[in-house]
Amino acid sequence: EVQLMESGGGSVQAGGSLSLSCRASEYTPGTFCMAWFRQLPGKKREGVAGIDGDGRTKYADSVKGRFTISKDYAKRTLFLQMDSLKSEDTAMYYCAADPGSCTLVSGPVMTPSGYRSWGQGTQVTVSS
């Protein structure tokens, strides 16, 4: 089972940017789906951005045009570039990976049940 470790979270003013990273403990084949989710205490985990083995991406409507997901196979790392951050982006962000069942005809799935490997999370706090 692949293990994931997130980094890059922190506090930032609204309108600012942060870049999150997620490093895998072992090589993840290109067929793997990888995604970012976020969650607040007492709330359901929400899909933020995903990328499948073909490079197709999917974003939550709330972050389209502001967030960009990418991955570097050589570095075994998934990235999430977050720009124009808003207070509502405040949450614990989690990295997730799956060997392939996450891939749909249209791209990666954006529900937690589609992923079997998870990181411990990194906190993102956006303030005015």
Side-chain angles (χ1 to χ4, degrees):
E1 191 79 14
V2 63
Q3 295 179 324
L4 307 172
M5 180 68 72
E6 303 95 338
S7 63
S11 297
V12 65
Q13 292 288 318
S17 299
L18 282 175
S19 182
L20 306 183
S21 298
C22 170
R23 184 170 176 82
S25 62
E26 60 188 64
Y27 173 69
T28 53
T31 53
F32 268 57
C33 287
M34 298 192 78
W36 290 96
F37 291 80
R38 64 188 182 187
Q39 186 174 26
L40 287 169
K43 289 196 172 184
K44 190 168 76 173
R45 190 165 295 187
E46 172 193 20
V48 176
I51 185 167
D52 68 9
D54 293 322
R56 294 178 296 178
T57 58
K58 189 175 295 182
Y59 297 90
D61 288 341
S62 59
V63 307
K64 285 181 179 177
R66 300 189 297 118
F67 291 10
T68 303
I69 188 171
S70 62
K71 56 184 177 181
D72 187 326
Y73 293 110
K75 296 180 179 179
R76 303 180 304 187
T77 304
L78 177 74
F79 302 96
L80 183 66
Q81 178 64 43
M82 305 184 293
D83 298 316
S84 301
L85 284 163
K86 305 175 180 179
S87 60
E88 53 262 42
D89 294 318
T90 295
M92 182 71 74
Y93 283 70
Y94 297 90
C95 173
D98 190 86
S101 62
C102 55
T103 301
L104 301 175
V105 174
S106 60
V109 298
M110 295 298 294
T111 56
S113 61
Y115 297 84
R116 68 178 65 181
S117 298
W118 293 85
Q120 294 300 303
T122 184
Q123 179 67 38
V124 171
T125 302
V126 185
S127 63
S128 299

